[in-house]
Amino acid sequence: MSATPVSAPDPVRAPGGMSGAPGPLMRLFRNQAVAFLLVGAFNTALGTAWFIVWQLAVGDTLGYHFAIVAGYASNVLCAFSTYRYLVFRVRGHVLRDLWRFVTVNLSAFLLNLALMTVAVSVLGFPPIPSQIAITVVTATASFFGYRDFSFRRAKRG
């Protein structure tokens, strides 16, 4: 009687174009989109907390616009790091990746402002549902921007 070899399950591999071993979220969920949404939810909550901290600290003096910018600046390195290591799992080119990340992230922020202006001020839609719909658009655009531009690696052939 011979024993049939049992093959080990395929290890989770980094998605196309990525390098390095899959991060903890990719090993847990095996789905880059789910990992992206979880990290995005965390970063959104943290960015909101930073805004509140800055608003409470200096908002009366410098205004809420300053608190928005300071909150964004305070959160951008955390967002970059969590996406880089937990979702896209790349190595090398840190400064290039950071520059590209900020480019995509700031573009999504500016797109959000523009679409909100059109939706609310031009078309007369209510702000909260408009922001929810626009967040879906900007999050989707950000996912592809981060994956295909910020953290892209040349395919090895």
Side-chain angles (χ1 to χ4, degrees), residues 40-124:
F42 169 77
N43 283 318
T44 298
L46 186 60
T48 300
W50 274 116
F51 166 76
I52 292 168
V53 166
W54 283 106
Q55 180 62 29
L56 292 173
V58 296
D60 290 341
T61 306
L62 300 175
Y64 71 91
H65 287 105
F66 178 85
I68 291 170
V69 172
Y72 173 83
S74 298
N75 196 51
V76 75
L77 286 178
C78 178
F80 170 73
S81 298
T82 54
Y83 282 122
R84 179 178 168 85
Y85 295 108
L86 297 178
V87 179
F88 297 105
R89 198 64 180 165
V90 294
R91 296 190 179 173
H93 308 292
V94 175
L95 293 178
R96 183 192 72 185
D97 291 351
L98 177 60
W99 174 250
R100 288 178 170 191
F101 177 86
V102 170
T103 300
V104 170
N105 195 275
L106 190 56
S107 296
F109 179 73
L110 295 174
L111 177 63
N112 184 66
L113 287 175
L115 291 176
M116 277 295 284
T117 300
V118 170
V120 176
S121 297
V122 176
L123 300 175

Side-chain angles (χ1 to χ4, degrees), residues 15-35:
M18 303 298 124
S19 63
L25 286 178
M26 289 297 295
R27 287 192 304 267
L28 184 61
F29 294 103
R30 297 178 182 242
N31 185 306
Q32 194 175 43
V34 170

